[in-house]
Amino acid sequence: MDAGRIVVIGCGYVGLTTGACLARLGHDVTCCDLDGEKIARLRRGHVDIREPDLGELVAEGVAAGSLRFTQDSARAVTGAEVVFLCLPTPMGADGAADLSAVETVAVEIRELLPRGTVVVTKSTVPVGTATRLTRLLVREDVAVVSNPEFLREGFAVQDFLHPARVVVGAEQQQAAERVAALYAPLDARAVLIDPVSAELVKYAANGFLATKLSYVNDLAELCERTGGDIDVVTEGMRRDHRVAPSFLSVGPGWGGSCLPKDTAALLHTADSVGVDFPLLGAAVRANAHHQARVVQKVVDCCGGDVSGARIGLLGLTFKAGTGDLRDSPALAVARVLSGRGARLRGYDPACAQRSAVQRIRCVADPYLAAEGAEALVLLTDWPEFAELDWPKIAEVMRAPVLVDARNQLDPRELALEGFTWRGTGRTLR
């Protein structure tokens, strides 16, 4: 199709990336959000989200006039051809996705949509959402399409502009083709399927990735008990063409804005239709177990008790390259340590300007996190941690002890500096 008049409702991580990238593809895009201060900043080309190339894309779109921002979604949708719903779908108390934001917006705009508009769910939504929205809209002349996002934090722009797949789910073939055509400038095949399958694709992928991560951490525990080396084991796995090489890295469990809520939502969906899903349930339980294992290593390194002990934390975000603290496994570990009486200082490149995060005193550099610490815990593998002056860190610590939950550092080099090192699935030989 020709350049489309597109409205994106929600200027969060997914919405802003979607709007900026669609504008780059030549479409006329208006992004809407209730947060007036955020809209004002975006109009100036200022992006709060830490995401490579996103700020440049936003500034480019604003300067070209192809990307606009407004609080007035009602006015914006009156001229829309396609409306993308990029709204929060957080995990509810029962594990199900909370669709209240999506449903509220659908009701607000339903009478304002031009005839023939396509409403697209870009947020991760559970099975049956397309059907629910169709009933909520009460508009036979408006189609609902599922177009799940597959954006990795830290690579969102790259993933949008160079997608492995574009999934479009709809009951109406014409509506699916209209949405698929928006991505025509990209070198990617659009997969047109039914909406239920499209809604399941994102959950299925994230459930599998969570299971894979738990599996690798289980292997790491086995290596610790048997004397194996998880890094050697996973390298051998990567050389098997049947095993995809990604998501084979150990860590303090998995987290972030997607995997915890998506696994919970998938389990809730399965339970609601009477399907047992023991494999995914075990992966979720294993994740909590491996976070607890990191805590126990710190406790063991501190002589069995961390009450009153000063512990330094390197990395707070759920992964390197992002400022996202949502469901961060680093913070899960920190909460337990704090609950046991530890005094926590933390450093993260994305959080250097914060004064505190969840009972953690944030400091401006990693050496302050290490100062006077009885143990240092590396929880997020920011590349700069490998370049730190480790002899200097050993000097400022009360005891040069490092729990390396990511196996980022060379234990032999650290041993030469006098460190006691505890890794994940590895032993110092």
Side-chain angles (χ1 to χ4, degrees):
M1 66 184 292
D2 296 330
R5 296 192 303 275
I6 297 170
V7 171
V8 176
I9 300 182
C11 290
Y13 180 82
V14 172
L16 188 58
T17 302
T18 297
C21 288
L22 286 172
R24 161 60 73 87
L25 296 183
H27 302 293
D28 185 287
V29 182
T30 300
C31 292
C32 311
D33 200 280
L34 291 174
D35 188 334
E37 293 183 2
K38 179 190 290 186
I39 291 297
R41 291 193 297 271
L42 289 170
R43 284 173 173 166
R44 298 193 300 269
H46 181 77
V47 174
D48 298 328
I49 301 170
R50 185 185 181 113
E51 187 63 44
D53 302 323
L54 184 56
E56 291 82 354
L57 272 188
V58 169
E60 174 188 297
V62 170
S66 59
L67 180 63
R68 292 172 297 279
F69 296 94
T70 181
Q71 280 183 273
D72 192 351
S73 58
R75 183 177 180 181
V77 300
T78 57
E81 296 175 23
V82 180
V83 176
F84 282 86
L85 302 182
C86 301
L87 297 157
T89 55
M91 181 170 61
D94 61 354
D98 180 353
L99 293 177
S100 57
V102 174
E103 293 175 346
T104 296
V105 168
V107 171
E108 289 175 351
I109 67 173
R110 63 186 175 190
E111 295 181 5
L112 305 171
L113 297 169
R115 184 177 181 82
T117 303
V118 177
V119 174
V120 182
T121 55
K122 195 70 173 171
S123 307
T124 303
V125 294
V127 171
T129 299
T131 299
R132 291 172 67 178
L133 287 182
T134 298
R135 292 171 180 163
L136 267 179
L137 290 170
V138 200
R139 291 282 300 272
E140 292 184 0
D141 60 329
V142 171
V144 176
V145 172
S146 176
N147 176 217
E149 56 87 10
F150 302 99
L151 306 178
R152 297 170 296 163
E153 293 194 35
F155 301 90
V157 171
Q158 175 184 324
D159 288 345
F160 193 103
L161 297 178
H162 305 279
R165 75 284 204 200
V166 174
V167 175
V168 182
E171 294 291 355
Q172 302 175 26
Q173 181 73 11
Q174 185 180 18
E177 291 174 352
R178 285 180 64 189
V179 173
L182 298 175
Y183 299 92
L186 302 178
D187 183 22
R189 174 175 172 266
V191 182
L192 307 187
I193 55 179
D194 65 276
V196 170
S197 297
E199 290 163 348
L200 269 173
V201 165
K202 177 67 180 293
Y203 286 114
N206 280 351
F208 178 77
L209 296 177
T211 301
K212 191 174 181 182
L213 288 169
S214 286
Y215 178 73
V216 170
N217 277 334
D218 283 347
L219 284 176
E221 184 174 9
L222 182 60
C223 284
E224 290 177 17
R225 300 288 183 90
T226 60
D229 187 322
I230 189 61
D231 291 352
V232 175
V233 172
T234 52
E235 178 58 29
M237 294 171 67
R238 289 185 177 94
R239 294 178 182 273
D240 187 330
H241 70 275
R242 299 167 300 175
V243 180
S246 60
F247 285 77
L248 288 178
S249 298
V250 297
W254 40 264
S257 62
C258 293
L259 295 190
K261 76 179 185 67
D262 289 357
T263 51
L266 187 55
L267 285 169
H268 182 274
T269 297
D271 184 65
S272 69
V273 294
V275 173
D276 192 17
F277 211 146
L279 181 61
L280 186 59
V284 172
R285 292 190 296 274
N287 192 50
H289 168 70
H290 292 299
Q291 291 172 358
R293 286 207 324 121
V294 176
V295 171
Q296 191 57 49
K297 287 176 182 178
V298 177
V299 172
D300 291 344
C301 287
C302 292
D305 184 10
V306 293
S307 180
R310 177 175 289 177
I311 307 295
L313 309 176
L314 293 180
L316 303 175
T317 56
F318 88 93
K319 72 172 185 176
T322 177
D324 200 341
L325 294 167
R326 288 176 291 180
D327 276 305
S328 170
L331 298 187
V333 169
R335 280 193 296 272
V336 178
L337 288 171
S338 177
R340 294 193 180 190
R343 295 177 297 145
L344 305 177
R345 281 187 182 181
Y347 169 76
D348 189 291
C351 306
Q353 304 305 314
R354 290 173 175 260
S355 60
V357 174
Q358 295 186 11
R359 293 180 286 182
I360 304 167
R361 178 186 171 190
C362 293
V363 292
D365 70 65
Y367 301 99
L368 287 175
E371 187 174 35
E374 295 180 35
L376 195 60
V377 193
L378 195 157
L379 293 164
T380 311
D381 52 349
W382 288 91
E384 67 182 62
F385 293 159
E387 307 301 324
L388 294 178
D389 185 342
W390 287 97
K392 177 180 177 180
I393 289 179
E395 290 178 2
V396 301
M397 292 183 69
R398 181 176 178 183
V401 173
L402 177 71
V403 175
D404 186 352
R406 299 276 184 175
N407 287 352
Q408 184 181 10
L409 305 175
D410 187 333
R412 295 172 184 81
E413 292 184 5
L414 290 171
L416 293 175
E417 305 301 335
F419 274 92
T420 297
W421 178 89
R422 288 287 302 274
T424 303
R426 299 184 67 192
T427 55
L428 183 58
R429 297 177 178 177

